[in-house]
Amino acid sequence: MELKYYIIRRLLVLIPTLLGLLLLTFIMLNALPQSYLIQQFIPQKVLSSAQRQADTQLAINTLGLNRPLPVQFLIYVNSIIHGNWGFMYPNASGGTSFYTGPVLAGIFEYFPVTLEIAIFAVIFSIILAIPLGTYIGSKPNSVSDQVGRVFSLSGYAMPTFFLALLLQLIASPYFPSYIYGQGYPKNVQYSFIQNGVSQPTHMLVFDALLNGHFSLALSAFGHLILPVIALSYGLLAGLLRFIRAGMVDASNQEYVKTARAKGVPEKQVLKKHVRKNALLPSITVFGLVFSSLLGGVVVIEEVYRINGLGRFGISTVSGGYIQFFGILGTTLFFGIVLVLANLIVDVLYALMDPRIRY
Amino acid sequence: MIPNANKETKKRNPRLEDIKDTLRLLIKNKLALTGLSITSFYVFFAILDIVYPQYLGVGPGIVTTLQRFTGPHISAAAVPSPPTFSNGWYYYLGTTYYNIPLLPAMFAALYNDIWDSALIVVSGAIIGIFVGTFSAYYGKLVDEVVMRITDIFFSIPFLIFAIITVTVLSRVFYQDNISIPPLTIVALSLVVIWWPTYARLTRSITLSVKSQKFIEASTASGSSRIRNIVVHVIPNVLSPVFVQISLDIGNVILLFATLAFLPLTFLGITPLTPELGSMISTADPFLLGPGWYAAVIPALFLLIFTISINLFGDGLRDVLDPKLRR
């Protein structure tokens, strides 16, 4: 079957999965009392009881809360398809709320920040993992192999928040202004506005580069260094382990023996025969690790106080209100990102390895 | 009369020999052995908390709040003090926030972390084993439905889903006036999201076991499907599940500590809750000052545990998986 049809089929399978995810979250949230939801629609100011009654009735009618659960779900899905992902309301207690407004707009405002960190983390770990993995994998059971093994194990075992705190502690005497994404994107964003830099992507580094402001890009990138290192550690460990296993696996193959026997220099054997075949399966590790990468983003953003999608998600549950639509929207969006990432990994693998046909 | 019919003096027990074999290989593996010994050191202190609570100097019962270590000296304004060796073993690692001595507080936290994680993994594994084996054995529609449900759980990062589950559970309990310790709520919600891992694992093994001859023979001799599953399939599934458990406990402890670390205020985890994640999170403001060790020491304590349990799990997998056996 052609790749095109494979992609289409996979995309079609994604729809019930995402709907199921939405339904699961919906059912869970349904366990909460309805008054939690309705009180968000009633203004904080003291109203007459008749006005309050009317507002409550309006909310119930709009959301279909007096109809059976499946109908409520269908109403919600219908509005999702039409681009209305609901609203997030100000806190009841009068405290400052993280975000107020339409959920979809909020997600698109905060997601680029998260995406930027994830992109740099992926690039960083790939750049480090390929040479290191090749080196370790070419000498199985040596001292460097054991060191690499313990390193990759510590990558699985490391609490993300500890690594983030540790990096802060180490960097604080030398780069005190870069240990927080503190004010990031705020501080940097101000200088963006001052310099009249347009923001087509909402990712600060890329925006500054697109406008040719290298000093701004450097400053924005400086705030990203610690979060990126903290985030990429787990990914790096996973990649290293996979590449090492692939190297050991590939160097036992017949074609490598043939290459050595016909007198190809060792460097060429490692580069052309072993490494190329070892790197292929390690693409799949992205599919495995991407989930924990997205989870790690939540912690990293909390430690470095970066206002991204992770903090957005936490703010939906930990404010004065439970932001029903915020929770549902964030869940759905994380689900979409994760399943699409998995799909891209699979398609890349199929593109790079011509033996795989679907 | 057949001679020696009842004489089975030297009957070989293949299962016992297999276990002996496994243990011998495990002892040979230096890294796994190191992991096992450090892990058992930690587990020892966690068990000690139940059988001999007085060792923490707090009288009978399990420590539920760190206030018992400070007594009247508790103060919200206190800053961490450096290690001293003159005031008894309580103060060997100094104090952290609120004048709490760090060393006994960490041991008290160990109890919560280890036992709750073990509870999560074991109950998740039990649910997963039953769901996985039954759905694979019954096949067809049941299998399809169950697998689509587990797909849903894998289509979202665990941490996000855990946060949502924790939110809903805590508010529901609060609404119904059921008072449950916040850490138990975290544990419950992790059970909810953790079983699909085991369901998938056991399903794939069951599918291969199901088509083997001994199941056919058992069916032919009149066993029902349920008897087949319980007597023949589940014992075959157990060994990979044990490996997965030993690899998972580290992950679950991390997830558990991470949930306590995040500012989920509605949950009611206070600075006095004995839990490593919340201890680190509360000591976070001191990180950039002279009291940095108050956050770093508990985190290192946690890191050593997770590394050693991962080493052990890795070694166990090498030994139990015949393909990797050297």
Side-chain angles (χ1 to χ4, degrees):
Chain A
M1 203 196 293
E2 266 188 72
L3 194 61
K4 195 168 62 184
Y5 296 113
Y6 171 69
I7 295 174
I8 292 173
R9 206 184 58 201
R10 280 286 300 267
L11 280 175
L12 287 179
V13 174
L14 289 188
I15 294 171
T17 310
L18 288 174
L19 272 183
L21 175 64
L22 209 52
L23 181 63
L24 193 69
T25 325
F26 196 84
I27 291 172
M28 272 169 49
L29 287 179
N30 197 60
L32 295 173
Q34 277 189 355
S35 58
Y36 279 23
L37 180 56
I38 293 170
Q39 66 180 351
Q40 301 181 2
F41 290 87
I42 300 165
Q44 293 305 307
K45 284 169 282 177
V46 186
L47 294 171
S48 64
S49 67
Q51 183 65 37
R52 197 168 274 276
Q53 202 68 40
D55 277 352
T56 308
Q57 203 52 49
L58 185 66
I60 288 176
N61 284 339
T62 321
L63 298 169
L65 289 182
N66 49 0
R67 323 253 294 264
L69 191 63
V71 180
Q72 289 178 33
F73 183 65
L74 285 182
I75 290 175
Y76 177 66
V77 170
N78 183 40
S79 65
I80 283 246
I81 291 169
H82 286 86
N84 173 14
W85 287 34
F87 284 84
M88 283 176 59
Y89 297 89
N91 277 336
S93 51
T96 52
S97 46
F98 185 81
Y99 172 79
T100 313
V103 172
L104 195 58
I107 287 174
F108 282 138
E109 187 183 332
Y110 290 107
F111 179 59
V113 180
T114 304
L115 185 64
E116 193 177 21
I117 302 174
I119 287 176
F120 279 119
V122 168
I123 293 174
F124 179 73
S125 49
I126 289 177
I127 287 176
L128 269 185
I130 290 180
L132 278 180
T134 316
Y135 180 73
I136 290 171
S138 63
K139 301 177 181 173
N141 294 328
S142 65
V143 177
S144 55
D145 185 30
Q146 295 293 339
V147 172
R149 185 172 179 177
V150 172
F151 173 79
S152 58
L153 258 176
S154 75
Y156 288 107
M158 179 72 87
T160 319
F161 57 84
F162 176 45
L163 186 62
L165 292 176
L166 201 63
L167 285 174
Q168 268 190 342
L169 185 62
I170 293 168
S172 65
Y174 309 107
F175 309 103
S177 57
Y178 288 110
I179 54 167
Y180 282 120
Q182 194 180 37
Y184 174 90
K186 232 186 230 157
N187 275 350
V188 188
Q189 211 144 26
Y190 285 144
S191 43
F192 268 64
I193 295 165
Q194 278 169 9
N195 289 311
V197 178
S198 65
Q199 299 185 16
T201 60
H202 282 276
M203 293 186 248
L204 296 184
V205 176
F206 294 113
D207 284 342
L209 283 181
L210 283 178
N211 284 281
H213 279 263
F214 290 105
S215 60
L216 267 186
L218 213 61
S219 149
F221 184 69
H223 284 282
L224 280 183
I225 290 176
L226 292 189
V228 163
I229 294 176
L231 188 59
S232 55
Y233 193 69
L235 184 59
L236 181 60
L239 263 180
L240 211 58
R241 198 174 178 155
F242 248 69
I243 293 178
R244 187 224 169 239
M247 289 286 289
V248 173
D249 218 38
S251 53
N252 289 332
Q253 299 289 328
E254 296 292 327
Y255 54 80
V256 175
K257 276 181 204 161
T258 314
R260 286 210 175 107
K262 76 184 180 194
V264 179
E266 186 62 25
K267 231 179 184 176
Q268 289 284 328
V269 173
L270 280 181
K271 244 185 188 169
K272 293 265 162 79
H273 295 79
V274 180
R275 192 170 72 185
K276 270 195 178 170
N277 287 293
L279 289 185
L280 260 183
S282 54
I283 292 174
T284 51
V285 87
F286 282 100
L288 300 173
V289 179
F290 208 80
S291 164
S292 57
L293 191 79
L294 282 181
V297 161
V298 178
V299 182
I300 299 269
E301 282 174 5
E302 204 50 57
V303 173
Y304 291 109
R305 297 177 200 163
I306 298 168
N307 292 327
L309 197 59
R311 280 194 113 183
F312 179 84
I314 287 185
S315 79
T316 59
V317 297
S318 63
Y321 285 139
I322 295 186
Q323 306 281 3
F324 282 70
F325 298 115
I327 293 173
L328 284 163
T330 321
T331 315
L332 181 61
F333 194 77
F334 267 114
I336 290 175
V337 171
L338 188 59
V339 292
L340 279 186
N342 278 329
L343 176 61
I344 291 171
V345 166
D346 286 354
V347 170
L348 265 185
Y349 193 44
L351 280 179
M352 289 191 168
D353 193 343
R355 284 169 299 183
I356 293 179
R357 280 287 155 257
Y358 296 95
Chain B
M1 191 79 194
I2 308 161
N4 297 336
N6 296 327
K7 208 176 168 188
E8 290 188 12
T9 44
K10 278 230 163 180
K11 193 185 175 191
R12 288 174 70 239
N13 187 341
R15 209 156 256 181
L16 196 69
E17 271 179 27
D18 203 37
I19 290 174
K20 273 185 189 164
D21 234 29
T22 309
L23 280 180
R24 212 177 48 241
L25 282 171
L26 200 63
I27 288 169
K28 263 192 200 164
N29 190 336
K30 288 283 180 302
L31 278 179
L33 200 65
T34 320
L36 180 62
S37 41
I38 300 176
T39 308
S40 35
F41 170 79
Y42 275 78
V43 172
F44 171 73
F45 277 104
I47 292 176
L48 201 62
D49 208 14
I50 305 177
V51 295
Y52 185 66
Q54 285 87 349
Y55 93 93
L56 287 177
V58 291
I62 293 151
V63 183
T64 50
T65 154
L66 293 176
Q67 197 177 349
R68 302 172 80 169
F69 297 122
T70 59
H73 303 299
I74 191 161
S75 98
V79 291
S81 71
T84 50
F85 292 97
S86 52
N87 295 345
W89 72 274
Y90 264 33
Y91 294 91
Y92 279 0
L93 291 179
T95 61
T96 174
Y97 56 89
Y98 289 13
N99 267 337
I100 297 168
L102 197 50
L103 192 56
M106 285 196 319
F107 283 136
L110 201 59
Y111 166 78
N112 276 323
D113 274 302
I114 291 186
W115 288 111
D116 282 4
S117 311
L119 196 82
I120 293 163
V121 173
V122 169
S123 41
I126 291 172
I127 298 172
I129 285 174
F130 276 102
V131 172
T133 47
F134 274 81
S135 77
Y137 200 87
Y138 279 76
K140 296 200 180 112
L141 190 65
V142 183
D143 191 28
E144 193 63 30
V145 169
V146 169
M147 282 306 116
R148 288 293 82 78
I149 291 174
T150 57
D151 268 358
I152 292 169
F153 281 89
F154 284 104
S155 66
I156 180 165
F158 279 136
L159 188 60
I160 312 280
F161 208 55
I163 290 173
I164 295 166
T165 326
V166 162
T167 315
V168 172
L169 280 184
S170 63
R171 305 266 174 148
V172 165
F173 286 137
Y174 175 76
Q175 191 66 25
D176 296 347
N177 280 327
I178 304 170
S179 73
I180 287 183
L183 292 183
T184 313
I185 295 178
V186 175
L188 267 179
S189 60
L190 285 182
V191 171
V192 171
I193 65 165
W194 211 256
W195 65 267
T197 323
Y198 293 97
R200 272 204 178 175
L201 180 72
T202 49
R203 175 183 177 268
S204 65
I205 304 163
T206 308
L207 282 182
S208 67
V209 169
K210 191 179 150 188
S211 56
Q212 281 179 18
K213 289 287 176 204
F214 65 92
I215 299 286
E216 215 172 285
S218 164
T219 314
S221 63
S223 297
S224 66
R225 285 203 274 197
I226 291 174
R227 189 186 151 78
N228 265 350
I229 291 173
V230 174
V231 177
H232 298 295
V233 177
I234 287 183
N236 281 297
V237 163
L238 282 183
S239 107
V241 165
F242 280 138
V243 175
Q244 188 65 32
I245 283 180
S246 66
L247 287 171
D248 265 358
I249 279 196
N251 287 341
V252 168
I253 285 187
L254 285 187
L255 208 54
F256 194 77
T258 305
L259 277 175
F261 178 86
L262 291 174
L264 303 176
T265 42
F266 54 87
L267 204 54
I269 292 182
T270 65
L272 288 173
T273 309
E275 208 287 333
L276 286 172
S278 77
M279 278 169 66
I280 298 164
S281 152
T282 317
D284 183 19
F286 306 116
L287 184 74
L288 301 178
W292 54 271
Y293 46 84
V296 171
I297 290 175
L300 269 180
F301 192 65
L302 178 64
L303 176 66
I304 293 171
F305 180 64
T306 47
I307 285 187
S308 57
I309 202 154
N310 266 308
L311 278 176
F312 172 62
D314 232 36
L316 195 65
R317 189 185 49 195
D318 284 358
V319 169
L320 282 182
D321 190 345
K323 275 181 230 148
L324 293 171
R325 237 182 214 190
R326 282 176 227 137

